[in-house]
Amino acid sequence: MQKVTLKDIADRAGVHVSTVSRALDPSSAYRVNAQTVNEIRRIADEMGYRPDVIARGYRKGSTATFGVVVPDLGNPGWAPILRGIENNLESRGLMAIITETQDDDQRLSRVIEHLMSRRVDALIVTAARDDHVPILEAAADRVPVVLAVRCPARTRLPHVVFDDVEGGRMVGEHLLSLGHRRIGQLPGPTDVTHFVDRSQGFTSAIRLGGGVVVEAKDTARRPTIAEGARIMRMMIESDEELPTAVFAHNDLMAFGAIGALRDAGLDCPGDFHAVGYDDTPMAAFSKPSLTSVRHPSYEIGRIAADYAVMLLDNPEFEPTPLKFPPSLTPRASTGEQDSDAGLSDD
Amino acid sequence: MQKVTLKDIADRAGVHVSTVSRALDPSSAYRVNAQTVNEIRRIADEMGYRPDVIARGYRKGSTATFGVVVPDLGNPGWAPILRGIENNLESRGLMAIITETQDDDQRLSRVIEHLMSRRVDALIVTAARDDHVPILEAAADRVPVVLAVRCPARTRLPHVVFDDVEGGRMVGEHLLSLGHRRIGQLPGPTDVTHFVDRSQGFTSAIRLGGGVVVEAKDTARRPTIAEGARIMRMMIESDEELPTAVFAHNDLMAFGAIGALRDAGLDCPGDFHAVGYDDTPMAAFSKPSLTSVRHPSYEIGRIAADYAVMLLDNPEFEPTPLKFPPSLTPRASTGEQDSDAGLSDD
DNA sequence: CTGTTAGCGCCTTCAA
DNA sequence: TTGAAGGCGCTAACAG
């Protein structure tokens, strides 16, 4: 099964390549003798012909391939978003190729450049940070670029995000309603808008409710378990009085923080409460199960892909920036009785 | 910044495209007047020229792009393996494009076909199941294919895997040494060799030690938290006497199983012990922390990429099939005293 | 040192 | 209904 080209088929069928090309393209097969079409299709099948999408792209000006950039495949929270994208594109005969920045700022421009020079038709980026705007807007001059989940503060690029201000607010109100007044916050990287939003919604809710936010001594460089543990440890080791509850900007950091507090002899939910964000599958299964904020991940991926496709079809299209509302699931880490563990698979 | 081509630069510099091509290629710039080279490079920079890797690929017969296929990006265990691949390739100026089968058997052939028609130079597949052999071997006729982690029983394809028989054995001996004699097993999909291997190593160790393996009533259809919980629940609800410890074929399933047992009022490690596999970052941070088997993930990715590159350079090269030894980390889920939680980031 | 030519695989005029 | 020719962006072989 070496590479089979149109020419190989043409030779075998005794016709010209362009005839083969036409016969194999449903939209122009009608211009070829029906018998010839059948014959050619048979031969193509037999020889295991696979169109060279890329070569085709040269003529058509497209490669039927979308580039997707995520920050960190070690965070399972991206999986449903990616599936929303993959499944949407696949149903249209398009393909998503996924790349990872490893949450390394520098890497984004390299990754984008690679994807562009591989002639992707469009870009869906979930790893954007504030200083990436120039790179992204430059790319947007050539192909549609849609930002998802993470969207820098000031950019004209089309985007779909979660309402993280609202999510932060929900966390704040939940903790206030449980009687907490002194509440710690473990922030994710500050150049990622959705972390800033979570912080803002949370902080203003707490202030409004007459509470005090105890800020971590440092910001997580990356939103990982290890970093969550590290900055929690810093808070523990400081002289300041410990808060009675902590809000970590994502589940991974929350797991890390709970671990660090446990190492310090403190029990959750006995001695303190904790809340995460993202509602990863582990949240329902960890001990204690973790109160977390859930957002429609699959859906945001699906819509991001929709937008990218529509932009490709019509560059004039101006996608409405969307903001998906989150919801909070109280669990054992904030004193909720554990019912059955969640069983869904996404 | 619309697309800039060699021709644009040539026009501006008043030379022929091929001169530009040579000037921009370090390996042939020596054949061009040094002044011209500088001038051309300056113009190229100024215009923001980006080579079209794909077009270049047509002449060179390669695209500097490797396809990588993983089963499930919802499992964070794949991340370090992917990084081993990505970082290795990146250091050579190659790019990894990642695709996911979503652990869906059918999807693999479609994904491979997509990648092939995008003219990837090589394929690294970590999602292989037994019945994929024909597809994979067909692909291998055209480009180097390296299997990593998952490798069907009978295939001539180059592969690098973990020694899962040994890992299973270690789990068995660990549990025996703790005094367990009746031990449950929650198996992953049986058409994935490494799960079969884990089972085999484990079962023979237990038998050798005079123990009894209690098999789950069903096999996990996919190695996920939800499936782990499901088959654990089936074991609980059966009439059979419960084992005193369970071995789940990966961490996710173990978390699910511990959750299911907790729902049934049983405490780990008080009432039963549990062991996972993969040593995902959560294992150290969950409560109880999870005894698990660790394998050199980053390393296997790195080597898989090495092999693929070497095969590309020299199709005659016959990579030694490698089997990386695992190691077991005892934690609270088998009664170990928790020390500091693990802090590494990978 | 530089320009010309040809062609990777495909599709789309244009002409027959 | 079919063939011939041109070109997408790039590079290698061949002239000069």
Side-chain angles (χ1 to χ4, degrees), chain A:
Chain A
M1 186 183 102
Q2 282 302 309
K3 179 118 197 133
V4 180
T5 72
L6 287 188
K7 183 156 186 329
D8 298 327
I9 301 174
D11 288 351
R12 184 90 82 87
V15 295
H16 195 265
V17 271
S18 48
T19 305
V20 179
S21 171
R22 284 189 280 257
L24 259 29
D25 176 357
S27 78
S28 58
Y30 72 97
R31 315 215 264 108
V32 179
N33 183 306
Q35 286 230 348
T36 321
V37 170
N38 283 335
E39 176 68 1
I40 289 176
R41 295 229 169 116
R42 200 184 51 70
I43 296 181
D45 251 28
E46 199 179 299
M47 299 180 76
Y49 171 74
R50 297 281 166 260
D52 183 326
V53 186
I54 300 294
R56 175 181 292 166
Y58 271 103
R59 296 283 332 173
K60 300 250 204 197
S62 74
T63 55
T65 307
F66 283 24
V68 179
V69 185
V70 298
D72 173 20
L73 292 172
N75 184 339
W78 297 107
I81 297 170
L82 288 171
R83 299 214 167 146
I85 297 172
E86 288 164 358
N87 293 347
N88 184 340
L89 294 182
E90 188 173 314
S91 71
R92 304 167 190 268
L94 302 169
M95 180 186 202
I97 64 185
I98 300 166
T99 57
E100 175 188 30
T101 63
Q102 304 185 16
D103 245 325
D104 168 357
D105 272 21
Q106 314 300 315
R107 210 183 217 96
L108 185 109
S109 57
R110 268 181 290 160
V111 165
I112 300 260
E113 202 152 283
H114 264 127
L115 288 172
M116 297 294 290
S117 69
R118 259 125 194 128
R119 310 190 117 246
V120 294
D121 289 346
L123 239 30
I124 299 174
V125 179
T126 73
R129 297 192 178 208
D130 287 345
D131 44 350
H132 293 144
V133 170
I135 298 162
L136 293 169
E137 298 197 336
D141 285 342
R142 309 233 268 108
V143 299
V145 174
V146 175
L147 306 183
V149 186
R150 296 190 181 177
C151 177
R154 50 191 74 243
T155 175
R156 56 171 178 76
L157 294 172
H159 54 272
V160 284
V161 297
F162 300 124
D163 190 340
D164 288 281
V165 174
E166 173 63 12
R169 199 189 58 69
M170 292 169 107
V171 173
E173 301 211 327
H174 177 61
L175 289 173
L176 284 169
S177 78
L178 293 170
H180 296 283
R181 284 299 172 271
R182 201 178 154 69
I183 309 176
Q185 174 167 231
L186 307 181
T190 48
D191 55 346
V192 178
T193 319
H194 65 186
F195 293 129
V196 176
D197 289 350
R198 284 168 204 183
S199 175
Q200 188 200 315
F202 172 74
T203 305
S204 66
I206 297 294
R207 298 242 169 92
L208 218 67
V212 174
V213 175
V214 180
E215 292 293 348
K217 304 304 156 224
D218 194 5
T219 290
R221 281 183 290 258
R222 310 187 316 140
T224 59
I225 293 183
E227 282 288 289
R230 184 179 68 83
I231 64 177
M232 187 67 234
R233 222 174 289 121
M234 290 177 71
M235 191 183 282
I236 295 170
E237 286 161 5
S238 80
D239 295 333
E240 226 175 336
E241 179 191 351
L242 274 182
T244 59
V246 292
F247 167 38
H249 279 184
N250 75 5
D251 285 358
L252 296 186
M253 291 174 61
F255 292 133
I258 292 173
L261 283 156
R262 191 157 54 221
D263 288 346
L266 293 168
D267 174 66
C268 177
D271 302 319
F272 68 97
H273 283 176
V275 179
Y277 208 108
D278 286 349
D279 205 18
T280 48
M282 269 305 296
F285 285 87
S286 64
K287 170 77 178 179
S289 61
L290 182 67
T291 297
S292 191
V293 177
R294 170 161 217 154
H295 32 221
S297 299
Y298 188 89
E299 189 64 8
I300 208 175
R302 217 180 49 73
I303 299 277
D306 266 352
Y307 276 6
V309 170
M310 291 164 86
L311 274 165
L312 191 60
D313 290 347
N314 168 20
E316 302 307 315
F317 172 62
E318 299 201 4
T320 324
L322 284 184
K323 206 168 252 193
F324 290 86
S327 62
L328 183 140
T329 307
R331 296 208 182 83
S333 71
T334 56
E336 195 74 6
Q337 199 77 314
D338 258 327
S339 63
D340 264 357
L343 299 180
S344 83
D345 221 18
D346 62 349

Side-chain angles (χ1 to χ4, degrees), chain B residues 29-275:
Chain B
Y30 72 99
R31 317 215 262 110
V32 180
N33 182 305
Q35 285 230 345
T36 322
V37 170
N38 284 335
E39 175 68 1
I40 289 176
R41 295 226 170 121
R42 201 184 51 71
I43 297 181
D45 251 28
E46 199 178 298
M47 301 181 74
Y49 172 73
R50 298 282 167 259
D52 184 326
V53 186
I54 299 295
R56 175 182 294 164
Y58 271 103
R59 294 285 341 178
K60 300 250 209 198
S62 74
T63 55
T65 307
F66 283 24
V68 180
V69 186
V70 298
D72 173 19
L73 292 172
N75 184 339
W78 297 105
I81 297 170
L82 287 171
R83 299 217 167 142
I85 297 173
E86 288 164 359
N87 294 347
N88 183 341
L89 293 182
E90 190 175 313
S91 71
R92 304 169 190 266
L94 302 169
M95 182 185 200
I97 64 184
I98 301 166
T99 57
E100 174 188 30
T101 63
Q102 303 185 15
D103 245 325
D104 170 355
D105 273 20
Q106 314 299 314
R107 209 182 219 96
L108 186 108
S109 56
R110 270 183 290 160
V111 165
I112 300 259
E113 202 153 284
H114 264 128
L115 289 172
M116 295 295 288
S117 71
R118 257 121 198 132
R119 314 189 112 245
V120 294
D121 289 346
L123 239 31
I124 299 174
V125 179
T126 73
R129 296 191 179 211
D130 287 346
D131 44 352
H132 293 144
V133 171
I135 298 163
L136 292 168
E137 298 198 336
D141 285 342
R142 310 231 269 109
V143 298
V145 174
V146 175
L147 306 183
V149 185
R150 295 188 182 178
C151 178
R154 51 189 75 244
T155 175
R156 55 169 178 78
L157 294 172
H159 55 272
V160 285
V161 296
F162 299 124
D163 190 341
D164 289 280
V165 174
E166 172 63 10
R169 200 191 55 72
M170 292 170 107
V171 173
E173 300 211 327
H174 177 61
L175 290 173
L176 285 169
S177 78
L178 292 169
H180 296 284
R181 285 300 172 272
R182 201 176 153 70
I183 308 177
Q185 174 167 233
L186 307 181
T190 48
D191 55 347
V192 178
T193 320
H194 65 185
F195 293 129
V196 176
D197 288 350
R198 285 168 204 184
S199 175
Q200 187 201 315
F202 172 74
T203 305
S204 66
I206 297 295
R207 298 240 170 92
L208 218 66
V212 174
V213 176
V214 180
E215 292 292 347
K217 304 303 154 227
D218 193 5
T219 289
R221 282 183 290 257
R222 311 186 316 139
T224 60
I225 293 183
E227 282 288 291
R230 183 179 69 82
I231 63 177
M232 188 67 235
R233 221 173 290 119
M234 290 176 70
M235 191 184 282
I236 295 170
E237 286 161 4
S238 80
D239 295 333
E240 222 174 338
E241 178 191 353
L242 275 181
T244 60
V246 292
F247 167 40
H249 279 184
N250 75 3
D251 285 358
L252 296 185
M253 292 173 62
F255 292 133
I258 292 174
L261 283 156
R262 191 157 55 220
D263 288 347
L266 294 169
D267 174 65
C268 177
D271 301 318
F272 67 97
H273 282 175
V275 179

